[in-house]
Amino acid sequence: MTVISQIHIVGSNPIHYQMSLNMPSSRRQFIQYSLLASMGLLHSNRLQAQTPAKHSVGVLLDPLFFKHDRKGHPESAARLEAIDKELSRRNYWQHFTPVKGRPATQEELLSTHQSGYIFEIQTLSEEGKDIFYSAYSEDTYINEHTYDAALMAAGGNIELNLAVYDRKIDRGFGLLRPPGHHARADQAMGFCIFNSDVIAARALQKYRGVKRVAIIDFDVHHGNGTQDLTIKDPSIMAVSIHQHPYWPMTGFESFTGIGDAEGTNVNCPFLKGAGNQTYLDVYDQVIHPKLEQFKPEHIIVFAGYDGHWQDPLAGHQLSVAGYNRLVQRCIDSAEALCGGRISFSLGGGYNLDPLAQSVAGSLHTLLALDEDPRYHW
């Protein structure tokens, strides 16, 4: 079946899309399919893969995520391009259900960030300059598309998690940029602008009445922003496995929550060289038991792949196979505790080949595809 549709976009000439619904094998077709489905021009928003997966996995990807970019920076659009190339090579796009994103509203941003900070990011982005947010640290850049991309990452993550919670899809993965776990209420840092996972958790609580959300962060850097934003909130459990001592020099095991939130902040810091088994053991011995006590109704995972043994920024020595097993542990917790409701959002990973292979491995695990002997994990 082939659909030919004409879409009128304000301020633009009509755009003609032609695509096969049976084989949307490329990222470009995937985004086009998502756009058509969101406008009611398709009868179904579920892709028809040649080899059906055991679970429907919603994927969020928006063109804006490629426009927040700085050539030569570790966190650039080249990361998504590498992931796209690997998913296309494996013909995985056909398996995903497109989730159409939208910009977060000001009210949704204000659930997590201060108004002055939001205005600051908007103003700096609208100036159209390619600048660093902090001249001192020079780690987080802003260009003319940053504010719009960050709004889309936050709002899109809300839509992805609502789709999972409402069981429109079994599981979700947001290929989001810019990332969010270092973003604080009033400060951008560590490549991050808006903390889209905390924003999504609070949207679930507001729109669906969810009482308890767990955020699991396996990026090799501690999610200091997520910790700061939830340290006094007993309704959100923030779990982090990370390298320590290491930037941003936070994430001590002794930080467990404040007041009524005591016990809902779980830090698992490990020295350089931790490896696959350390991650899996701490998940089994600490994280899953803590989740059992908390009883989340929904789980969000900040999936950073910068702990890979080939990554240039850290030294936790994980492999793709290790990440696959860790992802499966997260899925198993969701199946046991909250009806399988789980989504993932893209975190770090700065060596492009292992990043792309790790993301492909995680999506393979989420889909529960049969093992393909052509691919070495």
Side-chain angles (χ1 to χ4, degrees), residues 139-187:
D139 61 356
T140 307
Y141 62 85
I142 295 175
N143 69 13
E144 62 183 311
H145 303 290
T146 296
Y147 181 68
D148 289 339
L151 284 182
M152 185 61 72
N157 205 30
I158 291 172
E159 292 301 309
L160 179 69
N161 281 279
L162 289 175
V164 170
Y165 187 80
D166 293 342
R167 312 316 285 149
K168 294 179 179 177
I169 51 177
D170 295 332
R171 303 158 180 176
F173 200 112
L175 292 169
L176 311 180
R177 292 189 61 255
H181 78 148
H182 293 306
R184 304 173 69 187
D186 61 350
Q187 182 184 9

Side-chain angles (χ1 to χ4, degrees), residues 256-272:
T256 57
I258 297 173
D260 292 342
E262 174 65 36
T264 62
N265 194 81
V266 182
N267 283 316
C268 303
F270 292 100
L271 296 171
K272 185 176 180 179

Side-chain angles (χ1 to χ4, degrees), residues 61-76:
L61 180 62
D62 191 274
L64 279 168
F65 300 158
F66 293 85
K67 294 182 177 181
H68 169 72
D69 189 28
R70 184 182 180 91
K71 302 300 181 186
H73 192 278
E75 207 296 290
S76 72

Side-chain angles (χ1 to χ4, degrees), residues 129-348:
K129 298 177 182 178
D130 186 4
I131 62 171
F132 284 109
Y133 173 78
S134 169
Y136 174 74
S137 61
E138 292 195 350
D139 61 356
T140 307
Y141 62 85
I142 295 175
N143 69 13
E144 62 183 311
H145 303 290
T146 296
Y147 181 68
D148 289 339
L151 284 182
M152 185 61 72
N157 205 30
I158 291 172
E159 292 301 309
L160 179 69
N161 281 279
L162 289 175
V164 170
Y165 187 80
D166 293 342
R167 312 316 285 149
K168 294 179 179 177
I169 51 177
D170 295 332
R171 303 158 180 176
F173 200 112
L175 292 169
L176 311 180
R177 292 189 61 255
H181 78 148
H182 293 306
R184 304 173 69 187
D186 61 350
Q187 182 184 9
M189 62 183 297
F191 315 156
C192 299
I193 304 296
F194 296 140
N195 198 310
S196 58
D197 286 344
V198 176
I199 292 169
R202 290 186 170 144
L204 283 167
Q205 294 174 330
K206 178 179 179 180
Y207 300 142
R208 296 296 184 270
V210 176
K211 294 182 176 62
R212 294 174 302 281
V213 180
I215 300 175
I216 303 172
D217 184 339
F218 60 70
D219 191 280
V220 79
H221 299 89
H222 177 244
N224 61 303
T226 301
Q227 175 178 279
D228 290 353
L229 291 164
T230 63
I231 196 77
K232 297 180 181 180
D233 186 348
S235 70
I236 299 178
M237 171 170 275
V239 180
S240 179
I241 317 175
H242 51 273
Q243 185 171 318
H244 190 84
Y246 196 53
W247 192 93
M249 304 306 293
T250 55
F252 292 89
E253 190 176 358
S254 58
F255 280 69
T256 57
I258 297 173
D260 292 342
E262 174 65 36
T264 62
N265 194 81
V266 182
N267 283 316
C268 303
F270 292 100
L271 296 171
K272 185 176 180 179
N276 294 337
Q277 199 57 50
T278 298
Y279 271 56
L280 299 177
D281 286 346
V282 76
Y283 195 95
D284 293 340
Q285 297 168 21
V286 177
I287 294 173
H288 183 72
K290 290 287 187 181
L291 291 171
E292 285 184 310
Q293 295 173 13
F294 183 67
K295 297 180 176 60
E297 298 173 31
H298 191 94
I299 295 174
I300 299 172
V301 181
F302 187 78
Y305 300 96
D306 41 3
H308 190 278
W309 66 272
Q310 290 181 297
D311 198 88
L313 298 188
H316 259 186
Q317 301 294 305
L318 274 75
S319 68
V320 175
Y323 278 118
N324 292 351
R325 295 186 184 108
L326 182 60
V327 167
Q328 187 61 56
R329 294 291 206 284
C330 296
I331 293 169
D332 291 345
S333 291
E335 293 288 347
L337 302 174
C338 51
R341 290 178 170 87
I342 188 168
S343 78
F344 293 71
S345 62
L346 181 64

Side-chain angles (χ1 to χ4, degrees), residues 3-20:
V3 171
I4 302 176
S5 297
Q6 178 172 292
I7 301 175
H8 294 276
I9 300 177
V10 176
S12 303
N13 293 323
I15 297 176
H16 298 268
Y17 289 121
Q18 180 173 334
M19 56 195 304
S20 168

